[in-house]
Amino acid sequence: MSALDPRLWMAFLLAIGVGFGAGKWDEHRVSAAAGKVAAATLKTATDRADQAELNMKTIKKAKDEEKTKSDAAVRRLTADLAGLRDRAERRANADTDGAGTVGECAGASGAELSRPDAEFLTREAARADDAAERLNQCNADYDTVRAAINGLAR
């Protein structure tokens, strides 16, 4: 066989073509696998984004409901405060001509309280709330210190 033999050249070209085709086939296989991985990653990311959006909507709905409740409470307290301001200074006793003493109480709802008495009780309730809050903080601090001491004793 000589170097100019067409069969030799045909075999050589066929070998090059097969090698090139095989390389392209491997490249196509790798490309297809990478595409599948990319599609799976995209689906996972999309699913996570959808779940995050659903969680965000749930949280937003809960916060909106909480805000609605707190707004209603603020409106109710504002109306109650306005009613407190509209009270009479002192009720006159039925036996006297306005001596400023209170007659018999018709109930324990606080509806008959005079303005100064209602203001006093409101201030006293605020002081009690403050004292309860300070007590809770003190108890929490005490528990923290006790836990630290118990941790050192072990």
Side-chain angles (χ1 to χ4, degrees):
M1 254 200 232
S2 74
L4 296 177
D5 189 8
R7 289 179 289 173
L8 181 67
W9 282 103
M10 289 297 283
F12 179 70
L13 289 176
L14 183 63
I16 289 176
V18 168
F20 183 73
K24 285 293 185 181
W25 173 252
D26 285 342
E27 184 180 309
H28 176 65
R29 250 187 349 177
V30 169
S31 173
K36 288 179 183 177
V37 169
T41 304
L42 179 63
K43 178 161 178 30
T44 302
T46 303
D47 290 345
R48 285 184 183 168
D50 290 343
Q51 185 62 39
E53 183 178 359
L54 182 62
N55 291 344
M56 181 192 66
K57 285 181 181 179
T58 304
I59 291 170
K60 184 179 182 313
K61 183 179 178 184
K63 292 294 182 184
D64 287 345
E65 289 173 359
E66 183 179 319
K67 184 179 182 313
T68 301
K69 288 178 184 177
S70 93
D71 287 348
V74 167
R75 284 192 300 274
R76 183 177 39 81
L77 290 173
T78 302
D80 290 347
L81 186 59
L84 179 64
R85 289 186 184 122
D86 293 338
R87 292 177 183 259
E89 281 295 322
R90 288 276 177 208
R91 285 187 13 205
N93 193 348
D95 297 338
T96 63
D97 56 342
T101 61
V102 178
E104 290 183 28
C105 183
S109 68
E112 291 89 21
L113 282 177
S114 64
R115 183 183 309 160
D117 295 339
E119 288 175 353
F120 165 75
L121 290 176
T122 302
R123 286 191 306 272
E124 202 58 29
R127 282 186 48 217
D129 287 344
D130 184 50
E133 184 177 319
R134 286 185 284 139
L135 175 65
N136 290 337
Q137 183 60 44
C138 183
N139 285 336
D141 292 344
Y142 176 78
D143 290 341
T144 302
V145 169
R146 184 175 55 183
I149 289 173
N150 289 340
L152 292 175
R154 290 185 186 156

